Amino acid sequence: MKLAQRALERLQAWPDLTSGPASCGAGRALRSVHSEIVHFHSDRDVDLHLTMAAIGRFHDDLEGSTAIRLVPGSGWVTVHLDCDTDVDLLMSLVSAALKAHQNLPSPAGRRAAGECNFHRVTVLPRG
């Protein structure tokens, strides 16, 4: 089974997430009552709506990860799944994203998150 499919199946079992088409038009999305949280774009690439505040808190750790791609000014991160550890990282970050979305000040702030990183990130194979 592909890593993204395994991650999607695990996350679909979470009671706070529901599945549907991604608003960007590419792949499946999981959303909370507040907003879209995760977009599954391919067998290995997942965009996660972590929020700008959470990215700021975790920036150094995210930047140091070979699985994470950051786009300046985006509240989304791209997670490239190469191994089971990357799936575990995604699960932890989804949990952080759910908490971050609960703490956003208003529904308008949640909707103004911008587009995911699809077509804005190029992932090169680890070498």
Side-chain angles (χ1 to χ4, degrees):
M1 179 185 300
K2 302 289 186 194
L3 292 170
Q5 182 63 34
R6 188 175 330 141
L8 176 62
E9 289 174 5
R10 285 176 60 186
L11 288 168
Q12 283 177 324
W14 290 21
D16 294 340
L17 296 172
T18 57
S19 180
S23 61
C24 65
R28 300 294 299 162
L30 294 174
R31 64 174 296 113
S32 71
V33 295
H34 302 294
S35 63
E36 287 185 347
I37 302 294
V38 188
H39 288 182
F40 289 85
H41 294 302
S42 72
D43 291 340
R44 293 186 180 266
D45 295 317
V46 178
D47 279 344
L48 173 64
H49 189 187
L50 195 52
T51 75
M52 294 292 290
I55 290 171
R57 279 193 309 276
F58 304 128
H59 185 269
D60 292 343
D61 294 320
L62 294 171
E63 196 172 57
S65 171
T66 58
I68 303 291
R69 301 297 178 269
L70 301 173
V71 173
S74 177
W76 293 75
V77 299
T78 299
V79 182
H80 185 71
L81 305 174
D82 269 338
C83 60
D84 290 332
T85 303
D86 296 339
V87 174
D88 293 338
L89 172 62
L90 176 64
M91 298 294 138
S92 296
L93 290 175
V94 168
S95 182
L98 287 169
K99 182 174 173 108
H101 281 269
Q102 289 174 347
N103 293 330
L104 287 176
S106 70
R110 292 181 192 112
R111 284 191 299 275
E115 297 180 14
C116 72
N117 293 340
F118 188 62
H119 289 307
R120 296 170 58 191
V121 171
T122 301
V123 179
L124 301 174
R126 292 182 187 159

